[in-house]
Amino acid sequence: MGREMMFGEAIAVAITEEMQRDSSVVFYGQNMAMTDRDPYVRKFGKDRVRITPISETAEMGIAVGAAMTGLRPIVELYMSEFMLVAFDEVINEAPRMRYMSGGQVKVPLVFKAGFGFAAGWAAQHSNSILNTMMGIPGLKLVVPSTSADAKGMMKSAIRDDNPVVYLHHYMLTLDKSEVPDGDYLVPLGVADVKRAGTDVTIVATAWMVKKSLAAAEMLAKEGISAEVVDPRTLAPLDVDTIVQSVRKTGRLVLVDQAPRQSSAAAVIAGEVAEHGFRYLKAPVKMVTAMDTSVPYSAPMESYVLPSEERIVSAVKSVLAAQAAAV
Amino acid sequence: MGREMMFGEAIAVAITEEMQRDSSVVFYGQNMAMTDRDPYVRKFGKDRVRITPISETAEMGIAVGAAMTGLRPIVELYMSEFMLVAFDEVINEAPRMRYMSGGQVKVPLVFKAGFGFAAGWAAQHSNSILNTMMGIPGLKLVVPSTSADAKGMMKSAIRDDNPVVYLHHYMLTLDKSEVPDGDYLVPLGVADVKRAGTDVTIVATAWMVKKSLAAAEMLAKEGISAEVVDPRTLAPLDVDTIVQSVRKTGRLVLVDQAPRQSSAAAVIAGEVAEHGFRYLKAPVKMVTAMDTSVPYSAPMESYVLPSEERIVSAVKSVLAAQAAAV
Amino acid sequence: MQSKEALGKERLIWMFTQMSRIREFEERVKRTFVEHPGVIRGHAHLGDGAEASIVGSLTARQENDLVMPSYRCHGYPIVLGTDARRLMAEIYTRKDGICKGFGGSMHLADPAHHFVGTSGIIGQGIAHAAGAALTAQVKKTGQVVFSFFGDGSSKQGAFHETLNLAAVWKLPVVFVLENNFYQAYTHIRLEDANFMAGDPLSQKAKAYSIPGVTVDGTDPLAVYEAVGQAAERARAGQGPSLIESRFYRFTPHGNAITVPPVPTQFQEHEAIEVYGNKAEFEAARANDPIPKFRKALIARGAISAADADRIEAAARAEMDEVVKFALASPLPAPEDAVNYVWA
Amino acid sequence: MQSKEALGKERLIWMFTQMSRIREFEERVKRTFVEHPGVIRGHAHLGDGAEASIVGSLTARQENDLVMPSYRCHGYPIVLGTDARRLMAEIYTRKDGICKGFGGSMHLADPAHHFVGTSGIIGQGIAHAAGAALTAQVKKTGQVVFSFFGDGSSKQGAFHETLNLAAVWKLPVVFVLENNFYQAYTHIRLEDANFMAGDPLSQKAKAYSIPGVTVDGTDPLAVYEAVGQAAERARAGQGPSLIESRFYRFTPHGNAITVPPVPTQFQEHEAIEVYGNKAEFEAARANDPIPKFRKALIARGAISAADADRIEAAARAEMDEVVKFALASPLPAPEDAVNYVWA
Ligand SMILES: Cc1ncc(C[n+]2csc(CCOP(=O)(O)OP(=O)(O)O)c2C)c(N)n1
Ligand SMILES: Cc1ncc(C[n+]2csc(CCOP(=O)(O)OP(=O)(O)O)c2C)c(N)n1
Ligand SMILES: [Mg+2]
Ligand SMILES: [Mg+2]
């Protein structure tokens, strides 16, 4: 059993449940918990729920030190780009402390941020910087696409003993879907087949899952059966599930909101070029943002971002392509 | 004609020549230009050559503002990881200003840093974060492997009207090789075949080029002819030269000092999976750092980093592999 | 520089005119969300309430001095001579926009009018402004750079690093900390250690051994004098100063953040919406810098009530025209997006 | 807390002992580069000259208080009770190292002895220390955290952001700014705006409206008192303080940076090597905190010359043993490297 929940709500429920469960979980960030009427403050008090100044280095650095000494901080960072002013904490502090200490400390924390806000926020606020946080030994990267995953993976992220970056896509905030009741956990590091199919594998993350599912629907009407795989966790990446899907379909389209060479898609394509090569009947095809920043104006913005139409035509092109080696 | 020069010296010569040529070039950073005896200060004066505090955000941010208003700053950052405390300036300020202004400003600057110091500097100072700066629209990323390229590409980077990150590999600092005399420029965005071959393509950058050339030498003794391609510029990436090489050899090994999914190699493999697929006779193979941080102790450090032996055996495995599609 | 008492009638009228123009422009932006929903995208931040501070500061400018504000940047270019029609067209996502529809409200730029550009990321523009000052210093142009940023931004590392380095290098820059008592929805008493201790934010200057002054940002003449002295100091090669200019913003931080197609508008000011403190908001509104300056000018005999009415009417008429122009301007072509990535 | 005058003989002897142990340890590290080239890798930073400051500070600790220094971190764990043999083994890249050979000189950690860990990236450890203080505050453990960092590090954004937030949250942390007048090769007069103006660096505290004190870091009792008062304040819930402790480091920043296999060693101090200022260096050496404290203790009647000799001899003997242990310890197995990536 479950109930319909908005994506954003599912995240809030997960945080609330985990804070109830474990008193070492603290939650802070900018522009939250401003008054005593804040629901988290009401439930958990001002010690565990706090507001911060615009000080990402301190916010994230304090989380690292707190995690090393026994708290499990969740830091609300709002937009993934704001992490960049203190990116050292994300990729060069939190994931290194355990290793450098020879296993003496652990750093259980969650850096939570939205991303990919394709709604006129222009070049500095609309990015998809997922690739920069992949493949960092010691760092997990979670990117849900449904309310159930949003809840289940936030709970897993909070319980994880490693630093986890949890990115939620702004365009999904109000999307409603069913979330199982109770203590629902989704394991980190396990991809999910969001739609089964036989002719082509589409790998996509977050908002791109939604677009890919819509594209798959359009393709189904033309008799093309697309399988949509959502890695859900980009680090560690479940290469195996992706390769198994390619084994079945023989064809791979990757959809990503970032420009091509800064996309998670490129990294996944690289893995498949090594581990799934023998199953491929056609070149992989990436559907990504164009090699521009995201412009402000709507016609230009939608021009540079991946569309359902571009996904559909990419699928058709890999289906048309010749089988491999000359 | 030319002369033998150490890698580090070649960079210094390039900076000196360009500062002589163009009085709008300024050069500053930490722990440089400390006294009036400094060679740059002697030549160019204390206005154009400066020392800074440990303030990467200010150092790089000031360079962005200075570049927008008519200077061409070179910022000495020493180690690529130090950019991370101010990474926003690298990937979300410098490359965005021109686009956001609708082409009204340009941001000609060079962020210069060393990287990959595999000499006991441990987890926070030995990284290879090249992938994080690839595919950013508006940002160039230059990674030379020879003294000639080091000089010629630094000169091109300084003259380029876009922000350029210039990374030099520490382990190459004292390597000597010939540098052409005079105003020697190497264009940005053009890969270089460092060794021609017919059986397999090895793509590698910086120190990994050196290791790959040594591996190619070992392979040659066994009758295997390896072509070594050095992209030199990782952004924009010269996919074409790489694909042309694969077209010739049919096999691809990528060598990279970063852990697999945070490597430039994965991105390049992804491009080849799309654009070079039909030429591939075997799966691509990546030789990267293991999925660990870099440990302090020597036996562990060399265990996790790519070695000539691992390159050789990767080449042999792609040569042994079956041709593609089932 | 001229003392505020010595400022001529013409200059004072110019100041009042610019303040009125900013106010009318921002009113139009706000109304657009109601009258033409969807025409403005993303996040827009208004400068109503800041007019005295902006215009007072820019009155201290000399020809060629540069200006680098934050993302809350509509007001400055209006004063600097940028075509207000093209500013509005940019905010309206249009091809005739000052940035051709690439930048939007947060990223206006008009270098031809000494408005170099802005960053949407907190604190970074402070460093960029110091960079422009480095150019002025190295090229010996005699320019001073006016850097504007918020109270919230002064808690970002970029503020600290830049002020120290600007002091060490004696860069010709004036740092104007616009203290409007809020960073987004957060009241300053929740986040600034100086404020919590009852100290002025200008005290931060002590960390860099530079002058630090707090000034009434609702009085354009007081701001002019404080910023002017700092600019003189900067121009004389004595380095930067920090001016804390205190005023209140009359509109909430920005239009509400929604997910399309849910429409977005400006809500009530945070004082009321978040903190239920109507008294604070109303006291600030009662201290509106524009009628206050109007009254002062009339008292000083610089202007008659009728003249003031005419100036305000002209600003209204201009901004009606501005909206019309912007609405009529075409959208950019989709493929335009591939331009300006590389220089 | 006890006043410095009231400190008992035993405590004073403990202080002198710890200072001697640090000095002897660091001497061994330095000599290793000469006597056993290649045994130490990467970059090592020594604390000779800092002994009075380190020990004076840690004398103010209470049981369970935590310590978070920077990468220049050998001295603190020696005082905290970490096995010096395992510290040296770590620096020597060995399996018996306190971090099993994973961390090295810059990244020592011994949480079991209240030494949580360090970062090699400037300024970040300041934020980590405040994080440990957040844990103490939320869990109400009564602990105070001692944060140590250099004069150069105080110019990093992390310093500014952390001190403000620690003040806002009244975190139980003492910030000890170790001013040794150099950041790597750069003399402080080239990079710190306070210093250039003749002001103490403790003046930076004004930006956060917290207490700021400058103390003679070559006098362990003066340091003890200043840090102790700050710790009392922190423990009482009144928040952080900034202590500027001034002393000189006697060894250059670190061993010279070379490319293997070119051997690396410590060169001459930057005062001489870079600035040709032998006088500065010799004046500092003449003010060595260890003989100075020895003399003061003897004058105070806390110790005899013979006892002092015995203590120094014991430190020497201990550290000879330490070197032997570390040299005899095996290297880690290559495959050990895959451990400890994930918790
Ligand atoms: C690094 C970073 N963190 C957070 C934000 C989100 N943000 C945008 S505006 C703003 C408030 C700024 O307040 P203040 O500096 O006082 O300026 P004001 O808006 O009041 O003029 C915040 C937090 C951002 N843009 N950049
Ligand atoms: C962000 C960053 N920038 C630069 C460095 C290189 N670095 C290492 S130590 C050091 C000097 C630090 O000086 P100070 O803070 O005074 O400490 P001290 O070494 O004197 O104890 C520098 C610049 C770094 N580790 N991190
Ligand atoms: Mg504000
Ligand atoms: Mg120092």
Side-chain angles (χ1 to χ4, degrees), chain A residues 17-76:
Chain A
E17 286 181 11
E18 291 304 303
M19 290 190 75
Q20 252 143 6
R21 193 180 156 270
D22 181 348
S23 66
S24 66
V25 179
V26 299
F27 184 27
Y28 61 77
Q30 296 163 32
N31 290 300
M32 57 175 274
M34 286 166 297
T35 68
D36 294 346
R37 295 189 314 280
D38 175 85
Y40 292 103
V41 172
R42 280 219 305 256
K43 281 204 189 74
F44 306 111
K46 282 182 149 174
D47 242 22
R48 291 177 61 199
V49 182
R50 300 181 183 215
I51 185 168
T52 64
I54 319 176
S55 300
E56 284 80 4
T57 304
E59 294 169 67
M60 295 200 285
I62 283 174
V64 170
M68 289 167 77
T69 49
L71 292 181
R72 306 181 85 87
I74 308 168
V75 187
E76 172 61 76

Side-chain angles (χ1 to χ4, degrees), chain D residues 88-108:
Chain D
M88 193 64 90
E90 183 64 31
I91 297 167
Y92 281 16
T93 82
R94 306 303 162 115
K95 196 177 172 61
D96 296 311
I98 192 80
C99 303
K100 308 186 186 73
F102 284 72
S105 161
M106 287 196 277
H107 306 296
L108 303 175

Side-chain angles (χ1 to χ4, degrees), chain A residues 31 34-35 37 51 53-56 85 117 119-122 124-125 170 173-174 291-292 296-301 303-304, chain C residues 41-43 90-91 93 101-104 107 119-120 124 155-156 183-186 191 257-260 274 332-334 337:
Chain A
N31 290 300
M34 286 166 297
T35 68
R37 295 189 314 280
I51 185 168
I54 319 176
S55 300
E56 284 80 4
V85 298
F117 207 3
W121 285 67
Q124 294 184 305
H125 287 81
Y170 272 114
T173 314
L174 306 181
D291 287 325
T292 72
Y296 171 58
S297 195
M300 296 196 293
E301 185 193 75
Y303 182 72
V304 308
Chain C
R41 315 185 72 218
H43 215 195
E90 183 64 31
I91 296 167
T93 82
F102 285 71
H107 307 296
S119 170
Q124 310 307 305
K155 258 72 69 187
Q156 183 70 206
Q183 89 65 355
Y185 322 124
T186 303
E191 66 150 28
I257 301 181
T258 59
V259 179
V274 179

Side-chain angles (χ1 to χ4, degrees), chain C residues 51-248:
Chain C
E51 297 89 348
S53 184
I54 295 173
V55 174
S57 298
L58 297 186
T59 303
R61 260 187 86 238
Q62 286 188 9
E63 193 59 42
N64 294 326
D65 284 352
L66 299 177
V67 175
M68 294 189 84
S70 71
Y71 51 85
R72 190 182 295 284
C73 60
H74 303 171
Y76 315 85
I78 290 175
V79 182
L80 290 169
T82 300
D83 183 346
R85 298 176 312 160
R86 296 194 56 208
L87 284 178
M88 193 65 90
E90 183 64 31
I91 296 167
Y92 282 15
T93 82
R94 307 302 162 115
K95 196 177 171 64
D96 295 312
I98 193 79
C99 303
K100 307 185 186 75
F102 285 71
S105 162
M106 288 195 276
H107 307 296
L108 304 176
D110 184 9
H113 287 94
H114 307 103
F115 173 40
V116 183
T118 65
S119 170
I121 305 300
I122 290 291
Q124 310 307 305
I126 308 173
H128 302 163
L134 177 64
T135 302
Q137 187 181 68
V138 170
K139 298 207 162 182
K140 301 187 177 35
T141 63
Q143 286 162 304
V144 168
V145 180
F146 292 67
S147 166
F148 298 91
F149 52 89
D151 48 294
S153 307
S154 71
K155 258 72 69 187
Q156 183 70 206
F159 167 87
H160 175 69
E161 296 188 2
T162 304
L163 266 70
N164 178 69
L165 189 43
V168 167
W169 284 355
K170 291 198 186 308
L171 293 179
V173 53
V174 180
F175 295 110
V176 183
L177 187 166
E178 302 177 323
N179 182 0
N180 58 13
F181 304 96
Y182 285 86
Q183 89 65 355
Y185 322 124
T186 303
H187 193 277
I188 189 171
R189 71 172 169 268
L190 297 171
E191 66 150 28
D192 186 281
N194 290 140
F195 193 89
M196 289 171 78
D199 294 326
L201 272 68
S202 56
Q203 184 169 308
K204 297 184 200 298
K206 291 235 186 292
Y208 320 103
S209 295
I210 61 173
V213 175
T214 294
V215 70
D216 177 0
T218 68
D219 176 354
L221 298 176
V223 174
Y224 159 71
E225 209 156 64
V227 172
Q229 275 154 17
E232 280 207 331
R233 197 172 180 277
R235 213 178 308 275
Q238 296 173 287
S241 306
L242 177 66
I243 313 293
E244 178 195 10
S245 173
R246 293 187 166 206
F247 57 84
Y248 203 85

Side-chain angles (χ1 to χ4, degrees), chain B residues 152-235:
Chain B
M153 297 177 82
M154 177 53 92
K155 288 174 71 91
S156 293
I158 296 170
R159 291 190 202 179
D160 201 291
D161 274 342
N162 299 288
V164 180
V165 176
Y166 181 104
L167 299 183
H168 45 98
H169 201 292
Y170 273 114
M171 301 298 274
L172 300 175
T173 315
L174 307 180
D175 278 21
K176 262 197 161 162
S177 61
E178 171 132 338
V179 176
D181 285 336
D183 198 24
Y184 179 68
L185 284 126
V186 173
L188 307 189
V190 182
D192 190 40
V193 176
K194 288 285 188 252
R195 176 190 175 112
T198 51
D199 297 333
V200 62
T201 299
I202 303 178
V203 174
T205 307
W207 194 35
M208 295 299 117
V209 174
K210 192 174 166 184
K211 286 196 183 287
S212 298
L213 288 170
E217 208 53 54
M218 291 160 73
L219 289 161
K221 293 202 182 100
E222 305 186 39
I224 298 167
S225 166
E227 175 146 311
V228 178
V229 181
D230 174 4
R232 298 196 292 195
T233 312
L234 285 175

